[in-house]
Amino acid sequence: MATLSRDEIAACLGDAGYIADPELATAISIMQLLKRPLLLEGEAGVGKTEVAKALAAVHGTELIRLQCYEGLDQSAALYEWNYQHQLLAIQAHPGRTPADIEERIFSEKYLLERPLLAAIRRQTPPVLLIDEVDRADEEFEAFLLELLSDWQVSIPELGTITASAIPHVVLTSNGTRELSDALRRRCLYHYVDYPEVDREARIIMARLPKAGAVLSLQIARMVEKIRKEDLRKVPGVAETLDWAAALVGLDVADLHDRPEIVHETLMCLLKTHEDKMRFKPEVTERLLGKVA
C-alpha cells in the first residue's frame, strides 16, 4: 500500500471504526513513510490497542499481538520447541545416532512460532502489536530493541532468520514504568489522551449508529463530567461504548427523560466499589444537570 496522507489515513481508520485525531493520523502517516515503530502512550482505556486493530483492517493484513507482562522472556515471545512431539519422535526412531536425532527434531516441523518470530516470517507485512510494553522487564526491552533495529533473530539450531517483510509495529504503554531512552528514540511517539466530547460522540455513532447524534453527544458530555470527578478508575472509551450500548438497548433516546436509568446503568462506567459508592443519585443528578 502506498503511503497515505494524514487525511487519507483518518478516513481509512474511520471506515474501520476508529475516529482518529489529526495528530494520530499524522503519526501513522509518518510511521508508514519511514517504516518506523509507533509508540502509543496513555492511560488504560483510551483506545491505544484499537489503533493497531484498525490499522490491520486498513491494510487488510493480519494482526499479531504480543501481550507483555512481568517476567516475559524471549522464548515466550519468539519461539519454543515442541518438546512433547520431539520426545515422541525420538521414541519412534530408536537406534539412530545422536547427530541424526538432533537434525531430525530441531527442524521447522517442531518449531513453535511465538508472536515476534511469526511477525518477521510473514510474506505480507502484518501489524505487530506489542501491548503494554512497560509491563515487561528491562532485559526484555533490550532484546526487543535489538529486534526492532535489525529485524532478524538467531535460533541456534536453525541459524539467523531475517524478516521477509518489515511489519507495521505498534507499541503501547500505560506508563507504569519509564521506558528506556533507546527504545523511545527507535520509535515515533504519540500520546493518546481521552477524546474530546465531539470526537467521543463520533466514536459512539461510528460503533453504535442506533444511538443517534443527540444521545451520542449527551453520553459524551456526561462521560466528560464523570471523568473530572475524583475517581479511582477513570472510565475509558470502551466503558463509554458499553454504557451507550446499554442505554440504546433500554430504548433511552434522551438522558434527561430517563434519569433513573442513567444512574442505574453507571455500572458500565464505574469499576470499583469506592467509585460506585461515591456516585449517589444526587451526584448523577448534579452532573446530568450540566449536560445540554
Side-chain angles (χ1 to χ4, degrees), residues 67-216:
Q67 178 61 53
C68 297
Y69 54 87
E70 186 178 353
L72 175 65
D73 59 15
Q74 293 185 30
S75 63
L78 194 59
Y79 75 95
E80 288 183 291
W81 292 108
N82 192 329
Y83 297 117
Q84 184 176 6
H85 286 186
Q86 285 176 323
L87 181 59
L88 291 174
I90 293 171
Q91 295 172 342
H93 298 88
R96 290 184 178 271
T97 66
D100 287 340
I101 292 175
E102 183 176 352
E103 183 178 356
R104 173 180 290 272
I105 65 173
F106 289 109
S107 61
E108 285 278 352
K109 181 179 179 180
Y110 300 98
L111 184 67
L112 298 176
E113 286 185 339
R114 297 310 183 203
L116 296 183
L117 181 61
I120 69 172
R121 299 219 300 177
R122 295 294 190 264
Q123 296 300 318
T124 300
V127 172
L128 172 60
L129 169 61
I130 303 174
D131 216 4
E132 298 183 313
V133 66
D134 52 318
R135 295 188 180 277
D137 301 328
E138 294 179 4
E139 292 79 4
F140 181 79
E141 185 182 322
F143 159 73
L144 187 61
L145 180 63
E146 182 180 355
L147 175 66
L148 295 178
S149 298
D150 299 336
W151 291 114
Q152 63 180 30
V153 296
S154 178
I155 298 178
E157 298 85 357
L158 297 179
T160 299
I161 297 177
T162 303
S164 302
I166 305 300
H168 312 282
V169 183
V170 176
L171 302 94
T172 73
S173 170
N174 295 336
T176 58
R177 73 168 176 85
E178 183 59 37
L179 301 177
S180 70
D181 290 342
L183 183 62
R184 288 185 179 276
R185 287 196 302 269
R186 184 70 186 86
C187 303
L188 300 174
Y189 177 82
H190 178 70
Y191 186 85
V192 183
D193 206 346
Y194 294 106
E196 296 179 353
V197 169
D198 289 346
R199 187 159 70 89
E200 191 151 24
R202 290 170 58 205
I203 292 170
I204 296 169
M205 287 188 288
R207 296 294 185 91
L208 297 164
K210 292 183 178 180
V214 172
L215 180 62
S216 296

